[in-house]
Amino acid sequence: MWNKAERGEVINHAPIGYVRSPSARNGAGDFVIDPDEQVQSVVRLVFVQFAKRGSVSSLLKWLVDNDVKMPVRPHFGPNRGELEWRRPNRVTLLNMLHHPIYAGAYRWGHRETDPRKKIPGRPTTGRTFNAHDECRVLIRDRFAAYIPWAEFEQNQQKLQENSTMGKMLSAPRHGPSTLSGLIVCGRCGYHMLIGYANADQPSKTLRYSCQRKAIDYGETRCQSLSGAVLEKFVAERLLQAISPASLELSLAAAEDVEQERRQLDEQWQQRLERSRFETEQARRQYSAVDPDHRLVARELERRWDEALRADEQLQSEYVRFSRASPKHLSDAEHQQIQSLAEDIPALWHAASTTPEDRQAIVRLLLEQVTVTVEGDTDRVEVELRWAGGFVSRHSLARPVQTYKQLANYDELVARIDSLCAERKSLTQVAETLNAEGFHPPKRSEKFTKGIVCNLLRERRAKAGHRTDPELGRHLQSSEWWLADLAAELSMPIATLHRWRRVGWVTARKVPIGAGRWAIYADAKEIERMRQLRSATRTWPPIYPPELTTPKPPTKTETTQQRC
């Protein structure tokens, strides 16, 4: 059998799109392309759509949505060899895409038996599956082909990349991440992982992080950055790259839509032709029977009626399809496609554009995105490797937690001090900083009066400066201004405000200006507050009464000034 296989003479069941016919070469038969035109059309359509959509899942969904059936000739059973139309499934499509016969090649040894894996008493065990280039025999140009060999090899590479065991660069998948599988860490070279801080808002809380060394070797996390900022930056560069070709894009999109509609209309015409043939065949069989032979006439009449009803239903479905998707685009549809192509940013951000569509566009233009965060700062170096080999390098600012992480922090502080020395208001300081290109940390896009005020307060607190000493004369003994006490305890002002509202501290409103809160806190009270601050948090929160009960000031304490 091996010798016959080396000559390409061992053939079994014909795959979809082929039939077995006698061959003068070896007398045992050979595989030829199925003579049915509709069968040929469907097989070619499968390969065309896979090349366009890039994954078996997208191909299967497209076939189901457009009601395209697969031509099957059963290998056993009462209808052996008869053409049947069945719904598509993943296994059938994978077998077709992996089989080299569609590129004209003969293979033998695809499913061999490994004696080490064979279980006694179970003859079908121990089978292994080999790729086309690992088979014992592979003969090119042995059969008539549906696709060229180069396209077959491209399909195998795409299937391998799409596999969960393959490369990170894969076909578009579900999820809001546009750059999924393309991000590479510039420090260690590993692909960066995707994470979402909030499942309800994945697009806003998307984050890319390099954790491969942490996972494999227990090291610290390499780097991470906000995914939303990076994807917005890359999307702007993509739109700039394709904007000059808007007219060509609109023409290509219109031609692509019309071509797809023509292919689907051709499928419908073939289905209608087959239905008419089956109806006419049923009519001829009924007409050929003796009318007096009712035992046969009744059955043939029933089959004719069923064929007529099926043909009528198919025609009505075709009418609905033609109304929804005519073969040629109307002037209004051409104008709509052209207007969308001219306004590419609006098309990119449109609600009708799915994340899978954006991923497909990105993969056509980009091969890899390498990001490198400079230390722990907000500065990120981005390297875009475009399709064709061109590499562009850019810089962007990522959101960070603290001002000290800003690469231009010293310059920012010096500028704020100079503006304050010029007696500028907080609003004017914020407007000047925004105009000069400064930005705050975290996710705030620009400075505001409140952000500048908080920054100045934090700087005074960290430098050991309290509130204006002139205001200290309004305080009594062992009293603190609320902001000063929060800085002393290294806690947020909002938390201390909450303690005041729930009665965990003794406070009074001082009637100066718009009103200020003074908190009583001697040495013992400050120690109690520190313990309350560091207490273990539970849910619901339960704290010992001695930590939440404030000490009232004594009546003997008199008003004193604080410096």
Side-chain angles (χ1 to χ4, degrees):
M1 183 176 292
W2 192 354
N3 291 332
K4 291 183 64 176
E6 288 181 339
R7 299 192 300 269
E9 297 177 359
V10 179
I11 59 176
N12 296 315
H13 302 300
I16 292 177
Y18 289 87
V19 294
R20 187 169 180 172
S21 64
S23 174
R25 179 167 49 184
N26 51 41
D30 206 353
F31 289 157
V32 296
I33 291 180
D34 197 307
D36 194 300
E37 293 182 0
Q38 187 178 1
V39 173
Q40 300 177 24
S41 177
V42 170
V43 173
R44 291 191 174 94
L45 188 62
V46 167
F47 290 100
V48 169
Q49 291 301 321
F50 178 77
K52 181 183 298 184
R53 306 189 180 279
S55 70
V56 177
S57 298
S58 298
L59 171 62
L60 178 61
K61 187 177 184 301
W62 185 87
L63 294 174
V64 173
D65 291 344
N66 292 281
D67 195 26
V68 178
K69 299 293 192 301
M70 300 301 297
V72 177
R73 296 184 184 273
H75 301 151
F76 53 86
N79 296 329
R80 179 181 180 182
E82 297 293 331
L83 183 60
E84 297 180 358
W85 295 93
R86 301 178 182 178
R87 65 180 184 180
N89 60 80
R90 180 181 296 273
V91 175
T92 299
L93 297 177
L94 283 173
N95 289 337
M96 292 180 64
L97 294 171
H98 281 298
H99 207 309
I101 190 175
Y102 294 98
Y106 170 88
R107 72 177 179 188
W108 189 78
H110 170 58
R111 293 185 296 179
E112 290 189 312
T113 301
D114 187 348
R116 297 170 298 178
K117 298 180 180 180
K118 194 172 183 62
I119 301 176
R122 300 177 60 181
T124 60
T125 58
R127 285 187 176 181
T128 59
F129 294 87
N130 300 322
H132 68 281
D133 52 353
E134 298 175 352
C135 295
R136 291 195 183 188
V137 179
L138 181 66
I139 304 176
R140 297 267 300 274
D141 301 325
R142 170 67 174 78
F143 304 108
Y146 280 94
I147 58 175
W149 183 257
E151 181 178 346
F152 171 76
E153 291 186 329
Q154 291 176 1
N155 292 344
Q156 305 313 300
Q157 181 180 2
K158 175 58 66 175
L159 290 171
Q160 183 181 6
E161 292 173 353
N162 293 349
S163 173
T164 55
M165 300 299 291
K167 300 178 181 179
M168 289 291 294
L169 178 59
S170 60
R173 299 177 182 269
H174 296 291
S177 173
T178 304
L179 304 176
S180 173
L182 299 178
I183 306 297
V184 175
C185 177
R187 296 181 180 179
C188 62
Y190 288 103
H191 283 273
M192 301 183 71
L193 304 180
I194 305 172
Y196 304 97
N198 189 344
D200 296 331
Q201 295 179 332
S203 59
K204 295 182 180 179
T205 59
L206 170 65
R207 193 166 190 83
Y208 290 106
S209 59
C210 180
Q211 304 187 45
R212 178 50 53 192
K213 288 188 176 180
I215 294 174
D216 292 344
Y217 304 106
E219 299 181 7
T220 57
R221 186 177 63 179
C222 189
Q223 64 177 2
S224 68
L225 74 159
S226 169
V229 173
L230 178 62
E231 295 204 347
K232 179 181 178 181
F233 176 83
V234 175
E236 291 175 354
R237 300 302 177 277
L238 287 173
L239 297 178
Q240 292 176 2
I242 62 180
S243 292
S246 58
L247 179 59
E248 290 80 358
L249 287 174
S250 64
L251 297 176
E255 176 61 28
D256 185 68
V257 172
E258 288 191 343
Q259 180 181 3
E260 183 173 310
R261 289 185 177 182
R262 286 195 298 268
Q263 291 173 343
L264 291 174
D265 186 79
E266 180 182 354
Q267 290 293 317
W268 276 102
Q269 295 296 337
Q270 293 173 345
R271 292 177 63 182
L272 290 171
E273 183 178 354
R274 185 178 299 277
S275 177
R276 287 193 294 267
F277 168 76
E278 293 175 351
T279 303
E280 179 62 21
Q281 185 182 39
R283 186 197 65 79
R284 290 197 303 266
Q285 290 176 349
Y286 175 74
S287 300
V289 72
D290 188 346
D292 294 334
H293 196 350
R294 300 305 302 166
L295 294 176
V296 177
R298 279 195 298 267
E299 176 62 20
L300 295 178
E301 183 180 11
R302 183 186 63 81
R303 294 181 182 179
W304 187 18
D305 290 339
E306 289 180 353
L308 287 172
R309 286 194 296 269
D311 183 71
E312 183 179 357
Q313 181 179 358
L314 192 64
Q315 291 181 9
S316 61
E317 292 176 358
Y318 175 70
V319 171
R320 289 195 295 269
F321 167 78
S322 299
R323 291 174 180 173
S325 304
K327 287 190 296 184
H328 301 287
L329 296 175
S330 62
D331 295 338
E333 289 174 327
H334 274 287
Q335 183 63 30
Q336 182 181 10
I337 292 176
Q338 184 175 357
S339 62
L340 288 174
E342 291 175 353
D343 191 3
I344 295 177
L347 180 62
W348 177 270
H349 298 291
S352 57
T353 304
T354 64
E356 289 81 2
D357 296 333
R358 298 187 183 95
Q359 292 177 25
I361 295 173
V362 170
R363 280 159 174 73
L364 290 175
L365 300 177
L366 286 177
E367 295 179 352
Q368 182 174 293
V369 179
T370 305
V371 296
T372 306
V373 180
E374 294 184 2
D376 196 31
T377 68
D378 65 331
R379 190 66 57 194
V380 181
E381 298 297 327
V382 181
E383 180 183 282
L384 302 179
R385 185 175 300 277
W386 300 82
F390 177 72
V391 177
S392 60
R393 295 175 175 83
H394 315 270
S395 297
L396 64 88
R398 64 170 182 143
V400 291
Q401 293 293 327
T402 64
Y403 283 93
K404 286 294 185 65
Q405 291 179 268
L406 297 177
N408 59 347
Y409 173 71
D410 295 336
E411 182 182 354
L412 171 64
V413 171
R415 185 55 177 151
I416 292 177
D417 291 341
S418 65
L419 293 174
C420 291
E422 297 174 6
R423 299 294 182 181
K424 298 286 186 181
S425 66
L426 295 181
T427 302
Q428 292 174 332
V429 172
E431 293 176 351
T432 303
L433 294 177
N434 294 329
E436 293 179 357
F438 292 97
H439 63 86
K442 298 185 179 180
R443 299 187 184 278
S444 302
E445 296 183 357
K446 60 181 181 179
F447 281 97
T448 63
K449 174 183 176 181
I451 293 178
V452 175
C453 180
N454 291 335
L455 174 58
L456 293 175
R457 183 186 294 114
E458 290 178 5
R459 288 186 62 209
R460 286 199 301 267
K462 292 179 179 179
H465 299 304
R466 303 301 181 188
T467 309
D468 189 354
E470 292 296 327
L471 298 177
R473 60 189 179 86
H474 296 282
L475 295 175
Q476 299 177 358
S477 176
S478 299
E479 281 189 342
W480 299 68
W481 293 120
L482 188 144
D484 292 342
L485 182 57
E488 177 69 19
L489 297 174
S490 300
M491 62 184 295
I493 296 177
T495 303
L496 192 55
H497 266 296
R498 178 179 175 275
W499 288 7
R500 176 191 60 79
R501 290 194 301 270
V502 298
W504 290 357
V505 294
T506 300
R508 69 183 181 90
K509 191 71 169 288
V510 181
I512 57 173
R516 288 173 174 266
W517 286 102
I519 310 296
Y520 173 76
D522 58 8
K524 292 184 177 180
E525 277 293 277
I526 291 179
E527 180 61 25
R528 178 185 67 85
M529 295 178 190
R530 293 188 190 278
Q531 294 179 8
L532 178 60
R533 176 66 178 160
S534 60
T536 303
R537 293 170 176 81
T538 60
W539 186 259
I542 301 176
Y543 298 99
E546 59 270 16
L547 295 182
T548 59
T549 304
K551 171 188 173 183
T554 61
K555 295 182 179 180
T556 58
E557 290 175 327
T558 58
T559 305
Q560 296 180 358
Q561 295 211 357
R562 293 176 51 86
C563 296

